[in-house]
């Protein structure tokens, strides 16, 4: 069994701090990749309707032999299904694809503020939570301004906000807002999508210092900050490497070196303006 610690979300549900993401994994590859991850000790799996791999992910979960109460499954409602009734239908479709009778964490994938429908969408999530069909609910890519409105107009504080977060884009303001309101911060693209971050000299120096790989020290940085993290890979050796990050600690100097890498620039879309379906 893995050494992955759990965080207690604001409704008492416990979530593994390190999970396995399947963004950009084709459905036909998802079963193998998720099976490898489960064998390596991952128990938290993060997918989404738009990824098109819920069915393959569900097949891996069913074949694994891992008890359902040991698994933590996250999926997300896509932009085209915003709105109260459409969200409930999308949830049913995701359940069917995954072959599950409940979801551990259900998220709104993007706020789409230009459409101004995320409050009604979130109210559907509140209904799913009240009915016990989702154990926890939250959001993804929400800015503090979007969260502030949810806090004012709905009843349930989001358990999680899953946002782009890596050493090049450290999101200090959002992390502080989350901490103030009891919202867990979950990092997508935690390794910066492999676009040079792992080749940065500072990261290489820290990896050498600790006798680890660059990816391992970046993931350790996330965990030290208290982030939930969901690295993605389809390579078995890297899947195993990414969960082997609990035998060392970063010191204050290491954390300061990482802090200096922040550019404040996104690799992905801007939640204030993104409006794709």
């Amino acid at each position: 069994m893995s050494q992955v610690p759990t965080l207690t979300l604001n409704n008492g549900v416990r979530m593994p701090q390190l999970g396995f993401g399947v963004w950009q994994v084709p459905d036909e590859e998802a079963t193998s990749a998720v099976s490898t991850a489960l064998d390596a000790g991952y128990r938290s799996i993060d997918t989404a309707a738009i990824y098109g791999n819920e069915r393959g992910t569900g097949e891996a979960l069913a074949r694994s032999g891992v008890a359902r109460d040991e698994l933590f499954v996250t999926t997300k409602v896509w932009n085209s299904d915003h709105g109260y009734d459409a969200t409930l239908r999308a949830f049913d479709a995701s359940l069917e694809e995954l072959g599950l009778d409940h979801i551990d964490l259900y998220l709104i994938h993007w706020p789409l503020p230009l459409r101004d429908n995320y409050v009604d969408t979130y109210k559907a999530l509140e209904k799913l939570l009240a009915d016990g069909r989702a154990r926890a609910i939250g959001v993804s890519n929400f800015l503090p301004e979007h969260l502030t409105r949810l806090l004012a107009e709905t009843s349930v504080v989001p358990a999680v906000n899953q946002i782009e977060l890596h050493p090049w884009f450290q999101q200090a303001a959002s992390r502080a807002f989350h901490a103030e309101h009891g919202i867990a911060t979950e990092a997508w693209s935690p390794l910066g999508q492999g676009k040079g971050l792992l080749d940065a000299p500072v990261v290489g120096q820290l990896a050498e210092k600790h006798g680890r790989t660059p990816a391992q020290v970046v993931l350790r940085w996330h965990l030290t900050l208290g982030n939930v993290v969901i690295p993605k890979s389809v390579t078995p050796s890297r899947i195993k490497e990414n969960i082997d990050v609990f035998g060392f600690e970063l010191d204050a100097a290491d954390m300061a070196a990482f802090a200096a890498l922040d550019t404040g620039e996104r690799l992905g879309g801007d939640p204030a303006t993104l409006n794709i379906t």
Side-chain angles (χ1 to χ4, degrees), residues 202 206 209-210 250-260:
V202 170
L206 292 171
K209 172 182 174 178
H210 291 282
L250 301 182
D251 59 29
D254 299 336
M255 296 300 287
F258 269 115

Side-chain angles (χ1 to χ4, degrees), residues 3 36 59 61 92 108 121 158 190 237 242 277:
Q3 302 171 273
T36 299
E59 288 181 9
L61 299 175
D92 287 340
I108 301 175
T121 303
S237 61
N242 288 343
T277 58

Side-chain angles (χ1 to χ4, degrees), residues 49-50 77-83 86-87 89-90 112 115 276-277:
I50 193 62
V77 59
W78 182 239
N79 301 347
S80 55
D81 291 312
H82 272 221
T87 295
R89 290 192 296 269
L112 308 182
R115 286 190 234 169
I276 61 172
T277 58

Side-chain angles (χ1 to χ4, degrees), residues 7-8 13 29 47 69 77 85 99 106 111 156 182 203 224 228 236 238 268:
L7 298 181
T8 301
V13 169
E29 294 181 34
T47 184
D69 62 3
V77 59
D85 292 335
Y106 198 50
V156 178
V203 176
T224 303
V228 178
R238 288 179 183 165

